Amino acid sequence: VFYLLIDVWNLRRWPFVFTVVGMNCITIYMVVSFLRGEVNDWIGVFTKGILEPLGPAGVIVQSCLVLAAFWYMLYWMYKRGIFLKVG
């Protein structure tokens, strides 16, 4: 499906989201492994009052906010040409 979308139909704008993550995948792996799930607690400090009325759906919204925060951090690194690599 990706071959068809990207190479055959030449739809090359939407994979940029994955390009940003792929260029610094080691960085995101290290950040998540160092924090070990504490990110949701930190985000919860800022969003508890807003997301609490949503009930179980608030957890999904909170997870999307964490994902967006990580992606923006990787995008910031991508724009400045900061890439971590092993070896």
Side-chain angles (χ1 to χ4, degrees):
V1 173
F2 290 122
Y3 169 74
L4 181 69
L5 290 172
I6 297 169
D7 290 336
V8 176
W9 292 346
N10 203 24
L11 299 173
R12 297 183 183 261
R13 295 198 96 180
W14 68 272
F16 178 72
V17 174
F18 301 112
T19 302
V20 170
V21 175
M23 294 298 286
N24 265 321
C25 56
I26 294 171
T27 304
I28 200 66
Y29 176 78
M30 287 175 35
V31 168
V32 170
S33 64
F34 284 141
L35 297 178
R36 296 187 187 178
E38 297 173 9
V39 174
N40 286 333
D41 296 336
W42 293 349
I43 297 290
V45 170
F46 301 107
T47 61
K48 185 176 184 179
I50 299 169
L51 300 179
E52 201 169 79
L54 296 176
V59 176
I60 296 170
V61 173
Q62 184 178 9
S63 298
C64 290
L65 289 172
V66 169
L67 179 65
F70 280 150
W71 188 86
Y72 184 73
M73 178 188 71
L74 294 176
Y75 178 70
W76 182 85
M77 293 175 70
Y78 178 84
K79 284 302 233 186
R80 284 158 182 75
I82 303 169
F83 305 110
L84 298 181
K85 54 184 171 179
V86 177

